[in-house]
Amino acid sequence: MTKPLKISVVGGGPGGLYFAILMKKADPGHAITVYERNRPDDTFGFGVVFSDETLDNIQNADPETFEAIARHFVYWGEIDIHVRGRIIRSDGHGFCGLERKTLLMLLQERARALGVELKFQTDVADLDALPPSDLIVAADGINSAIRARYADHFKPSFDWRQNKFVWCGTTKSFPAFTFDFRENEHGIWILGAYQYKPGMSTLVPECDEKTWLRAGLDKADEAQTVAYLQKTFADLLDGHPVLSNRSIWRNFPMIKNERWYRDNVVLIGDALHTAHYSIGSGTKLAMEDSIALASSFAVKANVPDALNHYEKTRREDVEKTQHAADVSLVWFEKPRRFWKLEPMQLAFSLLSRSKQITYENLKRRDPAFGAEVDRWWAGKVRSELNFDVPTNNPPPPMFTPFRIGAMTVQNRVVVSPMNMYSAEPGNIPGDFHLVHLGKMAQGGAGLVFAEMTSVSEDARITPGCPGIYSQEQVKAWTRICDFVHANSAAKFCLQIGHAGRKGSTRRGWEGMDLPLSEGNWPVVSASALKYRPDGHLPTEITRAEMTEVRQSFVDATKNAHIAGFDMIELHMAHGYLLSSFISPLTNQRHDDYGGGLANRMRYPLEVFDAVREAWPADKPMSVRISATDWVPGRGLDIDDAIEIAKMLKACGLDIIDVSAGQTSSEAKPVYGRMFQTPFSDAIRSEAELPTIAVGNITTADQINTIVAAGRADLVALARPHLINPNFTLAASAHYGWEMQTWPNPYLAGKDQAFRLAERDKAELAQLREQARASITQRRTAFLASK
């Protein structure tokens, strides 16, 4: 930016003030005025929290501001979790607290010193009231008048979350970031508390709406709210009072904007976005917005280009933070799900809820806590599953055994079913499948799935999909089963299904879900609806055809037993035939198989019952479902999935494979790491049924996190196994777990793998230590100065 600008900042909170500071520091020629509706010393709330990462950003952007506010920080690295009479502590997290009023005063002082004009008690509801400006920054908070004025352009969305919460304070100094979980006659309460200056702490109690109503807090004023909280948390407060400051009960709004700027007007902070307080403060996000916006003016020569650069470079970070915040807040909204967990598992689930902290991350932060998680988990497996798992030198959770029905798998790793579209003529699994599945089994996973296998010729997805409806196919599968059992400790599962309206299509790499250029066969579905506009129009399956298909599933099941499979899975997900009955988007029948969920499940349960009867009682059965259609308001959601799981459990299901989507072309999935795991978590808790989690799970660390937190019993990975069939063996070397079964011919490589893993871990630890050096030095210097 070469030309000084006239800048109006609407909103004198930390975000607006800090942007003014950074711009004035970059070019004293900028004429900057900040307009704030409140008085200089008005502030609402109590303290704010910054992480080490945010402090680094602030220090790098403006060391003078950092040094001014650092003198008032209260540092801590511990998180204390109070639950059922226990206090579980995790260390190494790195936070600091600061009084919000002090922060504002320091930012105001720094802004004035640089020459920023501050106008208080000036409410800007109309931009026409501002003087001519090259740039207008809307930092006017959650209830932004500027965003509202141009809502048609910014296109904001508001998701008002379920829980009730209130900001309060206390004179008690908490030694750590404290979570307190307790239940009284009204329901479950969650309290977050942190010190922000000596002798003062913030309290944020929350509960679900039913608990809030039962407590009569919908009719309470501030004094009555304080009295209720004083009584509820009396033992934690040790006689210290609960303090209020506009402490009214509220619901948290998740705010997003489709567009971030309009002409020369740009949104920052809560006007632009919110992220739930459970993963950090809005102040942190607002000040990081200010850094990003000021940085954009440093690299772009004019206002339009700078605003465009700001949105493009900052949006991804904001969306990641909001996604993590959304996952985190959902955890708090379903207290009954985690309330049944043992204290150690509740603590681990809490710490790992947003996916930002994982099993290995916690071990690095606090080795003692990580070791305790391993010991606790090993003891849990010993006591609940009666496996002889060592507790003195316990394995990581992923390397503990599990029992599905009467079948034991040696670890929690699953090779997910992956369509290979590579069957030989006659839809016979050939040498490709022998090598592909044989490699997967030898790679150490406890359970290996074959791809979805067709129960009849018309049930195929593509011409390259294997079947199990002919004797030649059964013979070929027998060869593969024999190899898997002779050369590995893996259990082998066959997933069987009928493609329905997604059948008669090209192989995946030729055009996913597109009809064949020639040689198409008839396709059926629950209703005569296309999957995609350029796809097949199926016919609505008749009752007579339903009976034939059911018999095809039974015959395939018997053939799977003959071939030697250890387990069978029915595919009721991803828009295939059985799935098409379950979703209201694909089932518009007017007979006994359409309408409400109970009717839509009638045929899938009929097929399940027939298959369960045909499958040996001592062999387990699984079902894969789509836990959501990703079409809010019209399709299946997680509450439906929980009911589906309960229905299947009542019919004798042993474990449920929890996937999502792929049922409708209208779907709008929310992707991310482990993005389908919350569905598994909910079903496992609510239906009390073992689950398999799947969906962008890529590392051993993620497997350990999911299993230890109780979000799934087994974890299925697809693409990571394609890249490295020996994924599980490599993980055993990484963790130094000698008891993982290795194929005898591979033992020559085992010792080397363990040695290299130790070397790699040592090198990585050294790099991490170097990266943390600046933080440690800063904190040491700060503490010494105090």
Side-chain angles (χ1 to χ4, degrees):
M1 180 64 61
T2 56
K3 172 186 142 188
L5 301 175
K6 294 181 180 178
I7 301 173
S8 295
V9 179
V10 181
L17 287 169
Y18 197 48
F19 175 73
I21 289 167
L22 295 178
M23 289 298 285
K24 194 69 172 176
K25 177 186 174 185
D27 186 347
H30 292 318
I32 305 175
T33 304
V34 177
Y35 300 87
E36 168 56 42
R37 66 170 68 94
N38 296 307
R39 293 172 298 185
D41 56 350
D42 283 343
T43 187
F44 308 106
F46 296 89
V48 297
V49 176
F50 295 117
S51 66
D52 278 333
E53 180 183 8
T54 304
L55 294 181
D56 279 346
N57 293 336
I58 295 172
Q59 186 175 27
N60 292 333
D62 182 28
E64 291 85 352
T65 296
F66 172 81
E67 289 170 10
I69 63 178
R71 289 192 292 271
H72 300 271
F73 285 154
V74 177
Y75 276 107
W76 71 90
E78 302 85 5
I79 295 176
D80 281 352
I81 299 157
H82 296 239
V83 57
R84 299 195 190 104
R86 289 187 60 185
I87 300 176
I88 298 172
R89 172 166 287 190
S90 174
D91 202 348
H93 295 280
F95 297 103
C96 76
L98 178 67
E99 185 181 36
R100 180 177 174 82
K101 183 175 180 179
T102 298
L103 175 62
L104 286 173
M105 295 296 101
L106 291 171
L107 292 175
Q108 290 172 18
E109 182 181 339
R110 172 75 170 144
R112 287 194 191 96
L114 289 170
V116 176
E117 185 178 3
L118 305 180
K119 291 191 175 183
F120 294 96
Q121 295 180 275
T122 306
D123 193 1
V124 179
D126 188 343
L127 295 185
D128 292 339
L130 293 173
S133 305
D134 299 306
L135 173 67
I136 299 172
V137 179
D140 51 344
I142 283 179
N143 299 312
S144 170
I146 296 174
R147 183 190 62 219
R149 168 83 179 270
Y150 300 108
D152 288 345
H153 176 83
F154 290 121
K155 297 187 183 304
S157 62
F158 303 86
D159 179 11
W160 291 91
R161 303 305 304 184
Q162 302 170 23
N163 274 12
K164 295 289 184 177
F165 73 96
V166 60
W167 292 99
C168 297
T170 182
T171 56
K172 176 173 178 178
S173 295
F174 287 90
F177 197 112
T178 299
F179 288 100
D180 185 278
F181 298 87
R182 62 182 61 204
E183 186 172 21
N184 65 9
E185 68 274 21
H186 300 130
I188 296 172
W189 289 89
I190 307 161
L191 177 72
Y194 56 89
Q195 186 179 183
Y196 61 84
K197 71 177 183 178
M200 287 298 297
S201 298
T202 296
L203 300 178
V204 189
E206 70 172 282
C207 62
D208 62 30
E209 187 170 32
K210 290 181 179 178
T211 298
W212 180 72
L213 290 170
R214 284 192 293 263
L217 292 167
D218 56 320
K219 303 178 183 66
D221 59 20
E222 275 193 77
Q224 291 167 323
T225 289
V226 165
Y228 183 90
L229 296 175
Q230 191 82 53
K231 178 182 177 182
T232 301
F233 296 99
D235 59 316
L236 183 71
L237 293 169
D238 295 327
H240 289 270
V242 174
L243 306 175
S244 64
N245 179 354
R246 291 189 64 182
S247 299
I248 57 174
W249 291 96
R250 24 182 130 214
N251 293 77
F252 184 83
M254 180 70 85
I255 298 173
K256 300 180 181 180
N257 281 271
E258 189 174 315
R259 296 191 181 103
W260 286 24
Y261 65 93
R262 176 187 182 273
D263 298 330
N264 67 331
V265 179
V266 62
L267 305 177
I268 68 169
D270 285 348
L272 175 61
H273 49 60
T274 57
H276 194 252
Y277 52 83
S278 62
I279 70 159
S281 68
T283 302
K284 156 194 152 61
L285 271 179
M287 293 181 73
E288 289 177 344
D289 284 349
S290 299
I291 294 170
L293 182 56
S295 298
S296 293
F297 278 97
V299 297
K300 294 297 178 181
N302 56 64
V303 170
D305 287 347
L307 298 186
N308 183 56
H309 182 269
Y310 162 64
E311 179 174 345
K312 284 186 174 179
T313 56
R314 177 71 175 142
R315 183 182 283 275
E316 183 178 352
D317 283 343
V318 167
E319 289 178 349
K320 284 180 179 178
T321 300
Q322 287 192 300
H323 177 67
D326 190 46
V327 173
S328 174
L329 71 86
V330 168
W331 191 92
F332 288 99
E333 287 178 338
K334 301 293 182 180
R336 286 291 166 194
R337 286 183 186 167
F338 61 72
W339 192 241
K340 62 186 74 172
L341 300 177
E342 297 174 29
M344 180 57 76
Q345 190 163 42
L346 189 154
F348 184 80
S349 179
L350 167 71
L351 293 170
S352 63
R353 68 195 180 278
S354 70
K355 301 185 289 188
Q356 294 178 315
I357 296 177
T358 64
Y359 170 83
E360 289 190 21
N361 183 277
L362 271 173
K363 277 182 169 283
R364 289 194 297 272
R365 292 172 185 236
D366 188 347
F369 181 83
E372 181 59 27
V373 169
D374 284 344
R375 283 192 296 272
W376 161 79
W377 179 259
K380 180 179 175 67
V381 172
R382 286 179 70 94
S383 63
E384 293 185 0
L385 299 177
N386 199 29
F387 287 116
D388 186 18
V389 177
T391 54
N392 58 339
N393 183 26
M398 69 179 287
F399 286 109
T400 55
F402 186 69
R403 193 174 291 113
I404 312 171
M407 182 184 81
T408 297
V409 292
Q410 67 168 331
N411 57 50
R412 306 303 180 102
V413 186
V414 177
V415 176
S416 196
M418 296 173 275
N419 291 331
M420 296 286 103
Y421 312 114
S422 299
E424 296 178 350
N427 301 105
I428 298 169
D431 289 346
F432 174 86
H433 293 83
L434 176 67
V435 174
H436 168 67
L437 294 167
K439 283 192 304 183
M440 298 298 171
Q442 289 179 314
L447 179 62
V448 175
F449 275 81
E451 66 195 273
M452 189 180 104
T453 299
S454 308
V455 297
S456 66
E457 188 173 10
D458 284 351
R460 295 171 296 160
I461 306 169
T462 76
C465 291
I468 192 161
Y469 48 84
S470 73
Q471 290 307 304
E472 292 81 3
Q473 293 164 349
V474 174
K475 183 179 178 181
W477 281 120
T478 302
R479 175 188 179 218
I480 298 169
C481 284
D482 288 347
F483 181 90
V484 168
H485 292 140
N487 293 277
S488 78
K491 301 301 182 183
F492 200 19
C493 180
L494 183 68
Q495 184 189 72
I496 57 174
H498 188 299
R501 67 177 185 170
K502 295 176 82 172
S504 191
T505 56
R506 304 173 196 178
R507 292 171 174 83
W509 54 85
E510 297 171 344
M512 184 70 73
D513 299 319
L514 290 173
L516 295 168
S517 302
E518 57 184 7
N520 286 283
W521 55 87
V523 294
V524 295
S525 190
S527 297
L529 299 168
K530 292 183 177 183
Y531 175 65
R532 50 187 289 171
D534 53 355
H536 290 297
L537 178 65
T539 59
E540 182 172 292
I541 190 170
T542 66
R543 178 60 256 192
E545 290 171 323
M546 289 162 63
T547 302
E548 291 177 7
V549 169
R550 183 189 66 202
Q551 187 59 46
S552 296
F553 273 98
V554 170
D555 293 342
T557 300
K558 293 177 179 178
N559 286 339
H561 176 55
I562 292 169
F565 284 97
D566 303 296
M567 176 174 159
I568 199 165
E569 178 170 280
L570 282 183
H571 205 321
M572 293 188 184
H574 300 170
Y576 297 126
L577 180 62
L578 297 182
S579 172
S580 73
F581 275 88
I582 299 173
S583 171
L585 300 177
T586 51
N587 183 341
Q588 298 181 9
R589 299 174 73 96
H590 299 287
D591 59 7
D592 291 342
Y593 301 95
L597 181 60
N599 272 10
R600 301 198 308 272
M601 283 296 295
R602 189 187 298 268
Y603 182 60
L605 291 176
E606 177 185 319
V607 174
F608 179 90
D609 287 340
V611 169
R612 179 68 271 184
E613 185 176 355
W615 188 240
D618 61 341
K619 289 187 175 184
M621 269 191 66
S622 172
V623 166
R624 174 169 281 206
I625 66 166
S626 288
T628 176
D629 289 324
W630 297 114
V631 182
R634 296 197 299 116
L636 291 171
D637 61 21
I638 185 57
D639 291 330
D640 297 315
I642 291 167
E643 292 307 309
I644 291 165
K646 289 178 178 178
M647 293 179 195
L648 289 163
K649 178 185 176 182
C651 294
L653 182 65
D654 295 291
I655 194 167
I656 189 162
D657 191 353
V658 185
S659 187
Q662 301 181 55
T663 56
S664 169
S665 58
E666 299 177 62
K668 291 187 174 14
V670 181
Y671 292 115
R673 292 172 297 146
M674 303 176 277
F675 72 110
Q676 294 173 166
T677 300
F679 304 128
S680 167
D681 190 358
I683 290 170
R684 186 178 185 273
S685 175
E686 298 282 343
E688 298 184 329
L689 183 66
T691 62
I692 304 172
V694 64
N696 201 20
I697 301 165
T698 59
T699 67
D701 181 26
Q702 292 170 358
I703 297 172
N704 283 311
T705 305
I706 291 166
V707 172
R711 297 187 172 103
D713 299 280
L714 301 176
V715 180
L717 299 85
R719 291 174 180 86
H721 279 116
L722 292 178
I723 296 167
N724 179 13
N726 296 319
F727 173 91
T728 307
L729 299 183
S732 73
H734 172 73
Y735 291 113
W737 182 243
E738 294 274 1
M739 295 176 67
Q740 163 66 33
T741 301
W742 283 58
N744 288 336
Y746 287 13
L747 291 177
K750 180 179 179 181
D751 289 342
Q752 182 185 62
F754 275 65
R755 288 195 306 272
L756 292 176
E758 280 300 313
R759 185 195 68 187
D760 291 344
K761 282 192 292 184
E763 291 177 353
L764 185 59
Q766 184 179 10
L767 289 173
R768 287 195 176 109
E769 194 60 37
Q770 291 170 352
R772 284 199 298 263
S774 63
I775 295 173
T776 304
Q777 290 168 3
R778 185 188 67 227
R779 181 174 296 173
T780 301
F782 171 76
L783 292 175
S785 71
K786 295 204 57 168

